Amino acid sequence: MKRHRPLSELIEAFFAAQPWRQIGNQPFGLALANDPLAYFASIMGSGGMEHGLFMVKGWESYHLLRGMLKREVDENTARQGIELLSVSAETELPPRMSEYARRKGLKEIPHLGWPMVAIKRPHQVSEPPDPAGERILCRCLEALVHLAQTGQLQLARRGRRKAVLVFEVKKKGPTLSVLPSWKPIPTSPPLTPLPRLTEGFRERLSRLPRLSMPYLIGFDAGGIAIAGEIPRMLLIYDAERDKIVLGEFVLPSEPDMLEKTFRLLTAAFEGVNLLQQRGIPAEIQTDSKLFYDHFKGDLSRLGIRL
């Protein structure tokens, strides 16, 4: 007797159960038997679009996922920094995902599209899951279908400020039991950005001309992959002249990624940029929380508003 139903059957049952009707995207836990770390799931689709499932493993990843959903953590940082198992409904699949769906016998989901099953490891592009990831996904999908069919997902909607609902999943033969309990959320260590601006360097930069215009800065990941790794691009845009000042890729796997980013930024102030423009902008505007959190202190010491 098979221990779990086939992936194709479980995905079909998951979308048929429409779990997004019972719960929003708030993460909750699944504690699988014989696995010391809980998995945390977020159901997509309560807003009427992007139906599916995100899953991460362990408390550190939980903090990133929860922070991303609450917009407290830079989305690129969260997505690039955790191992993510996902199932989503897409109108079209990339070739590798389409081949995987064909091999696994995945069927089109009525009114939603084709199921895309993927695993995304830190700083890497998404790919079909390996057998280990597939087994975990099957165990979690089986529990989620049971929770949706019995209406227990609604329990997670109540929410507690310092606790998360975790369902303990056990299976004996064909019988599945799922027991809910609230678990305290371990404290996430506070971010302590490393100062990078020495006093001598600050004095040198302070002698540069002062520019009246703001710089718009992007620090997003995506767009391309280098040897399977997704880089971040530091993009500096002069809003007044409507010109790009700098565009440089940095790889997250580099141990000194943030240090390299700061060197590129300050070198751009000193004229090492596409416009050969020297000067300190009066203001920097960015929607990257990672950039803001790590560089605000040093840039403020240069008199730059963020």
Side-chain angles (χ1 to χ4, degrees), residues 49-185:
M49 55 192 301
E50 296 184 348
H51 300 82
L53 165 72
F54 281 147
M55 280 182 37
V56 299
K57 184 176 182 178
W59 286 108
E60 184 177 349
S61 295
Y62 165 81
H63 281 293
L64 285 172
L65 177 62
R66 181 171 177 260
M68 179 185 75
L69 296 172
K70 295 180 69 176
R71 300 178 185 248
E72 295 173 350
V73 173
D74 175 71
E75 183 173 351
N76 286 143
T77 301
R79 287 181 177 270
Q80 295 303 317
I82 56 182
E83 182 166 301
L84 187 72
L85 269 171
S86 64
V87 179
S88 59
E90 309 290 343
T91 55
E92 188 176 355
L93 301 182
R96 293 181 68 192
M97 302 302 186
S98 180
E99 169 60 19
Y100 177 83
R102 187 193 64 77
R103 284 193 290 107
K104 295 297 177 180
L106 305 186
K107 300 176 182 177
E108 187 175 9
I109 305 154
H111 313 298
L112 294 179
W114 291 93
M116 185 167 83
V117 183
I119 185 169
K120 190 192 172 306
R121 295 181 173 85
H123 312 304
Q124 303 293 312
V125 296
S126 297
E127 60 185 9
D130 56 15
E134 195 175 292
R135 283 193 296 272
I136 291 167
L137 185 58
C138 284
R139 294 177 69 189
C140 290
L141 280 171
E142 189 174 36
L144 290 170
V145 169
H146 175 83
L147 289 169
Q149 291 175 342
T150 56
Q152 294 182 73
L153 283 177
Q154 298 182 59
L155 294 173
R157 297 175 64 177
R158 299 173 185 173
R160 296 186 185 181
R161 196 165 67 89
K162 295 184 179 181
V164 61
L165 185 63
V166 176
F167 295 97
E168 185 179 352
V169 182
K170 294 182 179 180
K171 189 172 185 180
K172 188 172 183 180
T175 305
L176 184 73
S177 66
V178 183
L179 303 176
S181 64
W182 289 93
K183 304 290 185 184
I185 300 171

Side-chain angles (χ1 to χ4, degrees), residues 84-303:
L84 187 72
L85 269 171
S86 64
V87 179
S88 59
E90 309 290 343
T91 55
E92 188 176 355
L93 301 182
R96 293 181 68 192
M97 302 302 186
S98 180
E99 169 60 19
Y100 177 83
R102 187 193 64 77
R103 284 193 290 107
K104 295 297 177 180
L106 305 186
K107 300 176 182 177
E108 187 175 9
I109 305 154
H111 313 298
L112 294 179
W114 291 93
M116 185 167 83
V117 183
I119 185 169
K120 190 192 172 306
R121 295 181 173 85
H123 312 304
Q124 303 293 312
V125 296
S126 297
E127 60 185 9
D130 56 15
E134 195 175 292
R135 283 193 296 272
I136 291 167
L137 185 58
C138 284
R139 294 177 69 189
C140 290
L141 280 171
E142 189 174 36
L144 290 170
V145 169
H146 175 83
L147 289 169
Q149 291 175 342
T150 56
Q152 294 182 73
L153 283 177
Q154 298 182 59
L155 294 173
R157 297 175 64 177
R158 299 173 185 173
R160 296 186 185 181
R161 196 165 67 89
K162 295 184 179 181
V164 61
L165 185 63
V166 176
F167 295 97
E168 185 179 352
V169 182
K170 294 182 179 180
K171 189 172 185 180
K172 188 172 183 180
T175 305
L176 184 73
S177 66
V178 183
L179 303 176
S181 64
W182 289 93
K183 304 290 185 184
I185 300 171
T187 304
S188 180
L191 175 68
T192 52
L194 180 68
R196 293 175 171 83
L197 191 65
T198 64
E199 185 58 29
F201 192 26
R202 186 196 67 79
E203 291 179 1
R204 188 176 99 192
L205 293 175
S206 295
R207 291 193 287 269
L208 290 170
R210 292 283 164 172
L211 307 177
S212 60
M213 80 288 287
Y215 275 172
L216 308 185
I217 291 185
F219 194 44
D220 292 336
I224 67 169
I226 300 175
E229 182 176 5
I230 299 175
R232 281 184 177 268
M233 171 173 260
L234 175 65
L235 182 68
I236 304 178
Y237 172 73
D238 184 330
E240 188 172 279
R241 297 177 64 182
D242 191 24
K243 290 185 180 294
I244 292 176
V245 179
L246 185 75
E248 290 280 352
F249 287 112
V250 290
L251 293 174
S253 61
E254 297 181 74
D256 60 346
M257 183 197 77
L258 291 172
E259 179 63 35
K260 179 179 178 180
T261 302
F262 190 69
R263 289 199 305 267
L264 288 168
L265 178 65
T266 52
F269 294 162
E270 294 188 291
V272 184
N273 59 63
L274 298 173
L275 306 180
Q276 298 183 330
Q277 176 172 278
R278 298 175 70 249
I280 301 290
E283 180 182 2
I284 284 178
Q285 299 173 11
T286 182
D287 61 359
S288 170
K289 195 170 187 305
L290 179 69
F291 183 95
Y292 181 89
D293 286 344
H294 282 274
F295 301 134
K296 181 181 185 299
D298 284 326
L299 295 176
S300 296
R301 291 178 60 205
L302 291 172

Side-chain angles (χ1 to χ4, degrees), residues 12-26:
E12 190 174 346
F14 172 82
F15 283 100
Q18 299 183 328
W20 49 85
R21 292 183 176 272
Q22 299 181 34
I23 188 174
N25 64 2
Q26 63 266 40

